């Protein structure tokens, strides 16, 4: 097992790459990339960094030269032979050769495209523009670099003993959470913590802790590299990126209203079983389900990623009943802002009514709250989203208006098209 405190202490030396592999990314990025490679290979898309936590002024914490070194290093990466063999030959979700030969040949030759970086009012403006399958692969490594450089900046002046104590306290916190979770009968939980992790080493340690502490209740990790190294399942389906870009490409309000279902129709052609998971909240869950085609009700389940999770699950259960489906056979994946208290409550409420699973993210892989003076290691909300497609702005409404993004006039248009009324704002914690 890596001795984390010593490695962190040694980060003070010349460049220690944060991202060392193109598969140090979320599994759903690869699944979506293959779908995009097939259906929209030439679509021009822009991704932009968005810091939702204004008081974390990244450009004042992180040295621009060091950030550029890390980003430039990522541009030198390509798939290793072992990584290619893992993707080509492994079984994912019960399916052999999940990734097609033409996609794998393209991926093996991929080098990430250029980036644009500048400082503005204490923040970094970081954007990536180019063919959709290429620029989308920047999202997770860009977030990982910024999150870990912030971590390194805060820890830079700590000595060896101080770091040892810090990580001992953080490890104890994780293990206390594990001890509570192992009491939940029938728990199914995965690591979804790549994008806003404390560091790669810490995420890897957390996965090992879950493997030992939860046993079969731990079903896998979203991180492909860790899944390969630790021989656990790679977990993930699809994300808001797909409907956001499909919607931006729509030429009329009528096409816009159909766009979220066109996404899933394309997905339906490629995947089956537990990969058929609906993410309904991009433009509002209620309207999405009310207007969904009947074939979607036959899909395996739903992921709830914004708004009140209890309300979201109840809406899904009612929808399945109205469509003649048995909710007890359906999978509900909770993945928004989870920590132990929330997991315990949701498991108690729904485990006997649906098949429940949890994608535990930031408060698994980055819960250092209160462990350093000034709470300078507390997690914060940083995202990298598709912001434009073919020059048109993208929009996300969400079930929580505090997660909405896009120009105000376009947000209002989308609310009209998707019949989104008054929404309850909830704090975006992580």
């Amino acid at each position: 097992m890596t001795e984390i405190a010593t490695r962190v202490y040694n980060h003070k030396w010349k460049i220690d790459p944060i991202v060392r592999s193109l598969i140090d990314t979320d599994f759903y990025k690869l699944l979506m990339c293959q779908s995009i490679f097939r259906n929209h290979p030439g679509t021009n898309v822009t991704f932009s960094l968005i810091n939702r936590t204004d008081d974390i002024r990244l450009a004042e914490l992180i040295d621009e030269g060091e950030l550029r070194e890390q980003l430039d290093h990522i541009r030198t990466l390509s798939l290793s032979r072992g990584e290619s063999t893992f993707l080509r030959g492994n079984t994912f979700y019960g399916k052999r050769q999940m990734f097609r030969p033409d996609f794998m040949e393209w991926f093996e030759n991929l080098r990430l495209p250029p980036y644009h970086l500048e400082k503005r009012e204490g923040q970094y403006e970081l954007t990536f523009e180019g063919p959709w399958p290429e620029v989308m692969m920047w999202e997770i490594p860009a977030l990982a670099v910024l999150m870990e450089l912030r971590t390194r900046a805060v820890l830079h002046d700590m000595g060896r003993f101080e770091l040892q104590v810090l990580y001992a306290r953080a490890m104890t916190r994780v293990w206390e959470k594990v001890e509570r979770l192992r009491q939940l009968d029938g728990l199914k939980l995965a690591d979804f913590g790549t994008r806003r992790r404390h560091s790669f080493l810490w995420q890897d340690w957390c996965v090992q802790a879950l493997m030992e502490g939860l046993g079969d209740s731990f079903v896998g990790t979203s991180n492909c590299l860790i899944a390969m190294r630790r021989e656990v399942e790679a977990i993930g389906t699809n994300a808001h990126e797909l409907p956001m870009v499909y919607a931006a490409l729509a030429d009329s309000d009528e096409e816009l209203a159909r766009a979220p279902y066109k996404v899933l129709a394309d997905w339906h052609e490629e995947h089956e079983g537990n990969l058929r998971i609906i993410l309904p909240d991009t433009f509002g869950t209620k309207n999405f389900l009310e207007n969904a085609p009947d074939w979607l009700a036959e899909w395996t389940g739903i992921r709830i990623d914004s708004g009140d999770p209890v309300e979201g699950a109840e809406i899904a259960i009612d929808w399945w009943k109205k469509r003649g489906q048995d909710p007890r056979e359906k999978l509900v994946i909770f993945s928004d802002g989870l920590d132990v208290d929330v997991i315990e409550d949701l498991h108690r409420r729904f485990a006997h009514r649906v098949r429940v699973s949890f994608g535990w993210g930031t408060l698994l892989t980055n819960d250092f709250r209160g462990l350093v003076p000034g709470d300078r290691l507390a997690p914060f909300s940083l995202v990298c989203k598709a912001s434009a497609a073919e020059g048109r702005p993208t929009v996300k409404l969400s079930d929580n208006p505090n997660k909405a993004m896009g120009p105000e006039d376009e947000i209002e248009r989308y609310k009209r098209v998707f019949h989104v009324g008054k929404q309850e704002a909830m704090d975006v914690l992580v």
Side-chain angles (χ1 to χ4, degrees):
M1 183 179 296
T2 301
E3 208 290 298
I4 295 178
T6 298
R7 280 293 305 277
V8 169
Y9 184 82
N10 291 339
H11 285 326
K12 300 173 185 179
W13 305 105
K14 192 58 178 171
I15 184 169
D16 182 2
I18 291 170
V19 176
R20 299 166 181 257
S21 166
L22 287 183
I23 67 168
D24 181 10
T25 192
D26 281 335
F27 186 59
Y28 70 16
K29 293 299 290 190
L30 301 186
L31 292 176
M32 291 193 301
C33 190
Q34 176 169 249
S35 180
I36 293 162
F37 177 77
R38 176 182 181 180
N39 296 300
H40 292 278
T43 299
N44 187 275
V45 173
T46 301
F47 275 73
S48 302
L49 183 75
I50 302 169
N51 184 359
R52 295 168 173 160
T53 311
D54 294 338
D55 60 340
I56 304 293
R57 300 174 69 82
L58 291 174
E60 296 173 4
L61 279 170
I62 297 170
D63 177 75
E64 181 177 345
E66 190 172 5
L67 174 56
R68 288 186 182 275
E69 278 189 325
Q70 295 288 347
L71 296 175
D72 290 342
H73 174 75
I74 293 170
R75 294 196 64 214
T76 70
L77 297 175
S78 60
L79 285 189
S80 71
R81 180 176 296 180
E83 291 164 350
S84 178
T85 300
F86 169 72
L87 294 176
R88 283 181 178 269
N90 199 34
T91 298
F92 300 100
Y93 284 83
K95 181 178 179 180
R96 295 280 293 178
Q97 296 182 326
M98 176 73 75
F99 298 103
R100 298 188 309 274
D102 62 334
F103 172 75
M104 284 304 307
E105 183 177 353
W106 171 85
F107 192 23
E108 288 160 352
N109 289 287
L110 176 67
R111 304 294 185 278
L112 294 194
Y115 59 88
H116 178 76
L117 176 69
E118 61 181 276
K119 292 181 179 179
R120 191 181 301 274
E121 299 178 354
Q123 301 290 354
Y124 282 116
E125 288 192 357
L126 179 60
T127 56
F128 314 93
E129 182 178 358
W132 190 4
E134 296 179 20
V135 295
M136 69 176 294
M137 296 303 295
W138 262 117
E139 177 187 352
I140 307 301
L143 290 172
V145 162
L146 283 155
M147 295 300 294
E148 188 161 346
L149 284 179
R150 184 261 193 157
T151 294
R152 292 184 182 186
V154 173
L155 301 184
H156 183 269
D157 294 328
M158 289 188 179
R160 291 180 185 270
F161 284 95
E162 194 173 7
L163 287 167
Q164 290 281 6
V165 171
L166 171 68
Y167 281 102
R169 289 171 174 165
M171 289 174 179
T172 299
R173 176 174 290 176
V174 170
W175 193 253
E176 288 174 347
K177 293 181 181 185
V178 169
E179 288 179 323
R180 286 174 58 181
L181 291 172
R182 71 202 315 179
Q183 305 304 314
L184 300 180
D185 186 46
L187 174 71
K188 297 298 179 185
L189 181 145
D191 157 43
F192 276 19
T194 298
R195 63 185 53 239
R196 284 190 289 273
R197 67 194 182 195
H198 172 82
S199 70
F200 173 81
L201 291 176
W202 184 247
Q203 182 183 13
D204 187 42
W205 186 90
C206 290
V207 166
Q208 293 176 75
L210 294 179
M211 291 171 64
E212 179 175 320
L214 296 183
D216 291 342
S217 292
F218 177 62
V219 297
T221 174
S222 66
N223 187 286
C224 298
L225 182 61
I226 295 175
M228 181 181 76
R229 289 183 175 179
R230 300 300 169 194
E231 296 185 338
V232 297
E233 292 291 330
I235 301 292
T237 54
N238 54 72
H240 301 104
E241 172 185 340
L242 290 175
M244 288 171 65
V245 173
Y246 272 57
L249 298 175
D251 290 324
S252 66
D253 286 356
E254 291 73 22
E255 284 189 18
L256 175 59
R258 293 194 298 268
Y261 309 115
K262 178 64 169 68
V263 169
L264 298 184
D266 287 347
W267 195 262
H268 192 89
E269 292 182 7
E270 293 196 54
H271 301 297
E272 56 189 19
N274 282 351
L275 284 173
R276 288 184 177 175
I277 301 295
I278 303 166
L279 181 63
D281 69 318
T282 310
F283 308 122
T285 294
K286 189 172 183 295
N287 178 263
F288 176 93
L289 294 178
E290 286 177 353
N291 292 282
D294 288 338
W295 54 266
L296 265 180
E298 298 176 1
W299 272 32
T300 301
I302 277 179
R303 180 159 72 93
I304 297 175
D305 196 54
S306 65
D308 182 337
V310 173
E311 180 181 349
E314 293 291 358
I315 289 172
I317 288 169
D318 288 345
W319 177 67
W320 280 318
K321 288 179 177 177
K322 291 176 182 176
R323 299 296 180 102
Q325 301 291 318
D326 184 353
R328 294 172 298 180
E329 298 178 356
K330 298 297 184 179
L331 178 63
V332 175
I333 303 172
F334 296 99
S335 61
D336 182 30
L338 297 180
D339 205 7
V340 175
D341 290 343
V342 177
I343 293 171
E344 289 173 334
D345 178 61
L346 293 172
H347 189 271
R348 176 180 56 81
R349 288 175 181 266
F350 294 106
H352 61 290
R353 301 175 62 194
V354 294
R355 295 162 51 211
V356 174
S357 185
F358 298 94
W360 194 11
T362 306
L363 293 179
L364 166 65
T365 60
N366 200 359
D367 189 3
F368 284 70
R369 294 172 294 179
L371 296 184
V372 299
D375 212 12
R376 293 175 298 139
L377 279 183
F380 66 105
S381 187
L382 185 71
V383 296
C384 184
K385 296 287 189 182
S387 56
E390 297 294 350
R392 301 175 181 181
T394 62
V395 171
K396 179 184 175 187
L397 298 181
S398 182
D399 287 329
N400 178 3
N402 285 343
K403 283 189 169 185
M405 61 168 286
E408 286 298 325
D409 58 337
E410 284 296 286
I411 288 176
E412 292 306 314
R413 174 182 168 232
Y414 275 59
K415 284 183 175 180
R416 173 177 54 79
V417 169
F418 291 106
H419 305 287
V420 175
K422 183 176 176 58
Q423 294 177 297
E424 180 181 352
M426 302 176 67
D427 290 339
V428 180
L429 301 177
V430 288

